[in-house]
Amino acid sequence: SLTAPVVTTASTVAGGGRSLAVNGAAVVKAGITGLLDYTVNGTATLEANVGGTGIQTYLGPVVLKAGDRTLTAATVNLTDTVTGSNGSLAIAGAAVVGGDISGINNFQVSGTTSLGGNVTGLGTQTYTAAVTLTDNVTLTGTTVTTDAAVSGAGFDLAVVGAAVVNAPISGVDDYSVTGSTTVNAGSISGTGNQSYGGLVSLGVASVTLSGATPTFSTGVNGANNDLTLNFTGTTAIDGGTFTNIAALT
C-alpha cells in the first residue's frame, strides 16, 4: 500500500497481478494495468485508464479528466460521486454505483450494474447486462438502452431522454420516460405509475404494461403488435393516439 495525503503516479504502473491500495488521495496521470485489486481511500483524479482483473474500489469522490476513461475490472465500486469533464466513461466489468455520476458524455457498463445513484450525461447510456436498483434513480442522456433485465426492487426509475428497452423491467415503483420509448421486451411492470412523455413504439409481438396508473402523452405505435394494459387505475391519454396495434386489451 501507498500512504500519503496525495499519491501521484506520473508514469505508467504495471501491476504484475498484484494489488495496490492508496491510503489517501490518488492522482493518476498515466495508465495503470495488470493489477489484481485497486483501492483508493481518498479522492481519485483519473487522467488515464485503470485496468485489472480483480476489484476496483473508490471510497472517495472520483474526478475524470483529460478525455474518455475506461475502468477494467471484475467489479468497479464507485461509493461516492463521479464528476467528469464531458468525456465518456466505460466500465469493462460489473459496476456498483453508490453516488451520483455527472458531467460525462457517454456511459457504458459491460457487466451487471447495481444503481444507487443518478447518472447524468450529454450522450448515450448503455447497460449491457442486468441492472438492479438500490435507490430511486434518474438516468439522463440522449438515449438510455437497457439490454438485459432491470429489477427495480421497489424503487423509482426515471429516464430523462429516450429509452430503448431490450429486456423486461420489473419490480419498479414509478417508471417515467420524458422522450420516446422503444419496447423490444415483453413487459414493463411495477407497483406505481408509468408515464411516457414521447411516442411509445412496440418492437415485439406482444407487450404488457402493468402498474397503478399510466399516462401516454404522445401515444403508442404498435407496429402491428399486441398491447396489454394491466393497470389498476385509469389510463390517461393526453392528446396521444394509439395506432397500428394488432390487439389492445
Side-chain angles (χ1 to χ4, degrees):
S1 64
L2 303 175
T3 302
V6 180
V7 175
T8 301
T9 51
S11 297
T12 58
V13 176
R18 295 176 174 83
S19 298
L20 174 61
V22 176
N23 297 314
V27 178
V28 179
K29 291 183 173 293
I32 297 176
T33 60
L35 289 175
L36 182 57
D37 298 335
Y38 179 62
T39 304
V40 181
N41 288 313
T43 300
T45 301
L46 302 182
E47 301 179 23
N49 300 329
V50 180
T53 58
I55 297 172
Q56 291 182 33
T57 302
Y58 300 90
L59 297 173
V62 175
V63 179
L64 307 178
K65 291 188 175 182
D68 300 339
R69 293 277 72 80
T70 299
L71 305 178
T72 303
T75 302
V76 175
N77 293 309
L78 302 167
T79 63
D80 208 319
T81 58
V82 176
T83 305
S85 55
N86 294 330
S88 297
L89 174 60
I91 296 178
V96 178
V97 179
D100 292 345
I101 298 175
S102 63
I104 58 173
N105 186 23
N106 300 326
F107 181 63
Q108 181 176 356
V109 183
S110 67
T112 60
T113 304
S114 174
L115 271 180
N118 302 323
V119 182
T120 303
L122 301 172
T124 62
Q125 295 182 31
T126 304
Y127 301 89
T128 303
V131 175
T132 301
L133 305 185
T134 60
D135 203 341
N136 297 327
V137 169
T138 298
L139 306 177
T140 302
T142 54
T143 303
V144 175
T145 301
T146 50
D147 286 330
V150 176
S151 175
F155 295 105
D156 297 343
L157 176 59
V159 176
V160 179
V164 178
V165 180
N166 290 327
I169 296 175
S170 64
V172 294
D173 188 12
D174 292 342
Y175 177 69
S176 63
V177 183
T178 63
S180 64
T181 303
T182 302
V183 184
N184 298 320
S187 61
I188 299 175
S189 63
T191 57
N193 300 325
Q194 294 184 21
S195 176
Y196 300 92
L199 182 67
V200 177
S201 299
L202 308 184
V204 291
S206 178
V207 172
T208 299
L209 306 178
S210 58
T213 299
T215 300
F216 299 92
S217 297
T218 304
V220 177
N221 182 355
N224 295 319
N225 297 306
D226 297 342
L227 175 62
T228 299
L229 300 179
N230 185 19
F231 291 94
T232 58
T234 302
T235 298
I237 304 174
D238 295 340
T241 57
F242 283 42
T243 60
N244 301 316
I245 298 173
L248 176 63
T249 55

